[in-house]
Amino acid sequence: SSGINAEYGDHDAVCKGGIARMSIRMGDVRRGVNLALESANKVLCRECAGILEAIKQYPEAAMLYEKGHSYDKAAHVYMKAKNWHKVADILSHITSPYSALIPLL
């Protein structure tokens, strides 16, 4: 029976991930972001962040990129949102070459 519960758990997680992505696409950003955060799934957080960035919801996108451990993308989007404090907070995690330019911005 534990196999069945694990199977349903995976199914539920996949469904909630789909609901999170579609909620964001349909304009219910808060619900989508909350579902992504509740999932603790880094891939889902990054996927939702990409959707949010495309619709110019920069603060939420950057936060989900950060939760998804995509620190370079998070920094880039935090810069778009002009949230320099958050850029500074994650600076130590950034690995891309442009990170050398961030203190100059």
Side-chain angles (χ1 to χ4, degrees):
S1 85
S2 66
I4 291 172
N5 287 339
E7 205 172 296
Y8 282 129
D10 291 345
H11 174 78
D12 287 353
V14 169
C15 289
K16 285 183 180 178
I19 293 168
R21 288 186 292 273
M22 286 311 299
S23 294
I24 293 168
R25 286 188 177 113
M26 298 303 292
D28 193 350
V29 171
R30 183 180 301 155
R31 180 179 187 205
V33 168
N34 286 338
L35 285 168
L37 291 172
E38 288 170 12
S39 77
N41 180 323
K42 292 180 182 111
V43 173
L44 178 61
C45 285
R46 290 191 297 262
E47 289 173 352
C48 289
I51 297 165
L52 288 161
E53 184 179 6
I55 60 172
K56 298 183 180 359
Q57 297 293 314
Y58 298 132
E60 295 87 353
M63 178 189 60
L64 285 181
Y65 276 135
E66 188 176 355
K67 295 290 184 191
H69 292 188
S70 279
Y71 297 109
D72 291 2
K73 286 186 177 183
H76 178 73
V77 178
Y78 279 133
M79 289 186 332
K80 284 183 180 180
K82 295 180 174 39
N83 190 338
W84 309 116
H85 294 290
K86 289 300 288 181
V87 173
D89 289 347
I90 63 171
L91 201 56
S92 64
H93 297 287
I94 298 171
T95 58
S96 64
Y98 69 81
S99 64
L101 298 176
I102 291 173
L104 303 175
L105 295 176

